Amino acid sequence: MTVTIERPKIRACIFDMDGLLINSEEIYTDVTNGVLKDHGKPILPWSVKADLQGRPGTESAARFLEWSQLPYTPEELYAIFTERLKPRWKNTAPMPGAVELLQNLKQKGVPIALATSSYKANYLLKSAHLDHLFGLFNEANKVMGDDSRIPKGRGKPEPDIWLVALATINANLPDHMEPIKPEECLIFEDGIPGVIGAKKAGCQVVWVPDPNILNVFADTKHEIVGEWGEILPSLDALDFAKYGL
């Protein structure tokens, strides 16, 4: 007999950024395909794209080079991407339902945090014109990929960034409130490495993948999110009541 453990009520929410809150993954894909075209290579397959999403910059570059065999070191390639991407970040825009979801959580008094693998310099470029979105997060609850509290080599798919973000929430709870446990935290992600890290952290997870990636992993999608995971087509499809929100 299979025993289903009831999900704990959600007390906090943590959000990835790229491809989840803003359309930056589209920009990454466009620039990446431009670099590939310069070297006479085919465009980036979605199966490879899925493995790169959410990983720290040079690690993502190293994995990309394993596939593409371009004549660069990870550091050289990361520098090339950084320069090509820099003028494009002014064009980032919120994903459907992102602003509304964050506003609703704030109105309900649900603590929220941001946990992005983007380094701080890139985060600032991507978010400078989107204060109506990123201004909904307290500064103390924004964790970037180069945060000193994340040990080197422990980016997504490891759980560290999620646990650091949760710690920032717990550090600012009123004295009378019990600390929020990982299983009481709902993580929102579009990338598979981030979903894996969320599960390792012991959190519940909502996966909002690009439809092309979901199509590639159609046969294993339920294994990816796990028992305490859900797949949504967009952030505006969240059922608040399901999570006790």
Side-chain angles (χ1 to χ4, degrees), residues 4-10 183-184 186 204-206 225-231 242-244:
T4 301
I5 301 174
E6 186 177 350
R7 299 185 188 199
K9 179 181 176 181
I10 292 301
E183 60 267 28
E184 298 172 320
L186 185 60
Q204 299 182 50
V205 61
V206 170
V225 294
E227 183 183 358
W228 280 4
E230 180 179 18
I231 303 169
K242 180 175 181 178
Y243 295 98

Side-chain angles (χ1 to χ4, degrees), residues 33-34 54 71 78 119 190 220:
N33 284 334
Y78 181 69
Y119 290 173
D190 70 307
T220 57

